[in-house]
Amino acid sequence: MALAVGIRGLTRSLLRPWVRVPGPARGRTEPAAGGGDGVRCFGSPRVLVEPDPAAGFAVMKMRNPPVNSLSLEFLTELLISLEKLESDKAFHAIILTSDCPGIFSAGLDLMEMCGRDPTHYAEYWKAVQELWLRFYLSHLVVISAINGVNAAGGCLLALSCDYRVLADNPKYAMGLNETLLGIIAPFWFKDTLVNTVGHRTAERALQLGLLFPPAEALQVGMVDKVVPEDQVLSAARSELAQWLAIPGHARQLTKSLMRKPTADRLLKERDADIQNFVRFISRDAIQKALRVYLEKLKQKKT
Ligand SMILES: CCCCCCCCCCCC/C=C/CC(=O)SCCNC(=O)CCNC(=O)[C@H](O)C(C)(C)COP(=O)(O)OP(=O)(O)OC[C@H]1O[C@@H](n2cnc3c(N)ncnc32)[C@H](O)[C@@H]1OP(=O)(O)O
């Protein structure tokens, strides 16, 4: 099985990043995220970036409708956006949010894990690992403004941020619900949750596949702040000020000190983790469970 799949190669072949965005932002100057100083939005088909270099941050909006499921292409575009902002000295922070009403992210794209071949599963999982590692270890301050329901892999993405603001809407539950699908949250999903909410809460949440509504998410420490829905972005911006006031090198080194041991666990056994995933997801019983789950999602509509 070819494990040495290169996401950068994929990136080059699939995307032309940093084209002016299609859709709402095309052809006009969007107000910048914080200052409205005429800086142009940029991005890729599934990720809209609203930069505010004067204020030192950008708002990164996920827009992979209908549910921001993390397909291979979407993961790749998120990585490119992150890399672009990280390599520009004007930016010290990102606010990650969604452009899909009512949905932050439905998590990993089940279509990438269902009915495909082992090479594809390996390529996909490597991209999932890469996205987590890059967000988790980013030297930028990353704050998530969670403006919708947020399941499994989407929740992992938010947990990888430095701070989480959640919109106060009882429908916007979030958690690692893998067991409800008959699958398992890998050890680095688990570690990220444990680091956020502690061992006991994580154990219960993972075994039961709990999705926490806002008040409970706040109570267990899965999010740091719950605010009225129309204030999620402004609350994230206000919070940012506190993080950006800290000397950058001191904050970055402290972040690395706190997070490196967790990331190193995966880095040390990345290929083995990919092989475990491929073996696990290729099982007939797991494929059947995913098909049944997808079918249930579709039947919900009828
Ligand atoms: C001992 C062995 C050890 C081995 C260790 C190995 C460990 C590896 C294990 C593997 C780990 C894999 C980890 C996976 C993590 C994940 O992220 S799995 C995904 C979990 N996500 C969910 O459960 C959310 C599912 N979606 C929903 O609940 C709802 O869609 C929603 C609440 C998000 C939104 O609801 P609504 O607005 O009503 O939209 P829908 O009509 O439900 O959906 C619209 C459309 O999107 C499709 N869809 C939804 N979610 C996904 C998804 N995650 N992936 C792909 N597609 C999705 C849905 O089917 C609809 O499609 P159609 O319009 O009907 O075609």
Side-chain angles (χ1 to χ4, degrees):
M1 179 199 328
L3 289 186
V5 280
I7 193 164
R8 283 168 201 278
L10 173 94
T11 296
R12 274 192 291 276
S13 63
L14 276 183
L15 299 168
R16 251 181 342 111
W18 314 118
V19 291
R20 287 258 302 288
V21 288
R26 168 173 279 170
R28 65 187 167 91
T29 303
E30 292 275 326
D37 58 357
V39 176
R40 279 187 188 283
C41 295
F42 55 90
S44 53
R46 298 168 188 83
V47 183
L48 174 66
V49 180
E50 296 175 353
D52 189 345
F57 75 94
V59 177
M60 192 189 280
K61 289 186 174 169
M62 302 186 283
R63 52 168 191 190
N64 190 27
V67 291
N68 278 336
S69 59
L70 296 162
S71 64
L72 185 55
E73 288 84 359
F74 187 31
L75 292 173
T76 307
E77 291 182 30
L78 283 165
L79 265 172
I80 293 169
S81 295
L82 179 63
E83 276 179 11
K84 171 93 177 167
L85 292 167
E86 283 182 334
S87 62
D88 187 332
K89 286 196 166 39
F91 295 103
H92 308 290
I94 294 173
I95 295 175
L96 178 68
T97 193
S98 166
D99 205 37
C100 296
I103 312 276
F104 186 78
S105 170
L108 301 192
D109 194 318
L110 296 166
M111 306 310 286
E112 302 280 9
M113 301 189 285
C114 212
R116 312 292 285 261
D117 63 45
T119 306
H120 180 82
Y121 294 143
E123 181 178 21
Y124 182 60
W125 199 245
K126 184 159 186 163
V128 176
Q129 290 178 335
E130 187 69 20
L131 187 79
W132 175 71
L133 287 166
R134 293 301 297 265
F135 268 89
Y136 194 64
L137 295 175
S138 177
H139 71 268
L140 301 176
V141 176
V142 188
I143 293 190
S144 50
I146 307 163
N147 50 351
V149 62
N150 189 15
C155 176
L156 178 76
L157 190 54
L159 293 175
S160 307
C161 298
D162 298 294
Y163 192 89
R164 284 159 288 284
V165 180
L166 174 59
D168 194 6
N169 181 325
K171 289 186 188 151
Y172 296 173
M174 70 181 269
L176 298 180
N177 62 324
E178 279 81 354
T179 53
L180 300 185
L181 287 74
I183 56 178
I184 302 165
F187 71 87
W188 40 285
F189 284 46
K190 181 265 294 174
D191 289 346
T192 312
L193 183 63
V194 168
N195 291 350
T196 311
V197 301
H199 196 280
R200 172 61 193 144
T201 299
E203 182 178 353
R204 182 169 162 269
L206 285 167
Q207 286 200 43
L208 297 177
L210 295 179
L211 288 162
F212 295 90
E216 287 177 41
L218 183 65
Q219 196 228 324
V220 299
M222 184 171 269
V223 298
D224 300 291
K225 191 174 262 185
V226 171
V227 299
E229 198 157 355
D230 59 350
Q231 292 168 28
V232 186
L233 262 181
S234 58
R237 277 192 204 115
S238 303
E239 177 63 26
L240 210 49
Q242 187 180 350
W243 293 73
L244 293 180
I246 307 297
H249 67 283
R251 189 200 54 75
Q252 285 163 23
L253 283 170
T254 304
K255 179 172 180 175
S256 171
L257 200 65
M258 295 297 292
R259 295 187 170 207
K260 198 169 170 299
T262 302
D264 279 350
R265 278 195 73 198
L266 176 62
L267 286 167
K268 278 194 193 112
E269 43 186 299
R270 226 175 141 171
D271 282 351
D273 184 66
I274 294 173
Q275 282 165 8
N276 280 338
F277 171 76
V278 174
R279 263 198 303 272
F280 181 82
I281 215 73
S282 303
R283 287 184 196 166
D284 288 345
I286 299 301
Q287 285 293 307
K288 189 172 171 211
L290 292 180
R291 280 197 303 271
V292 168
Y293 190 77
L294 271 165
E295 200 45 48
K296 271 192 199 151
L297 284 178
K298 289 189 193 307
Q299 275 169 8
K300 194 179 64 172
K301 289 179 179 164
T302 56

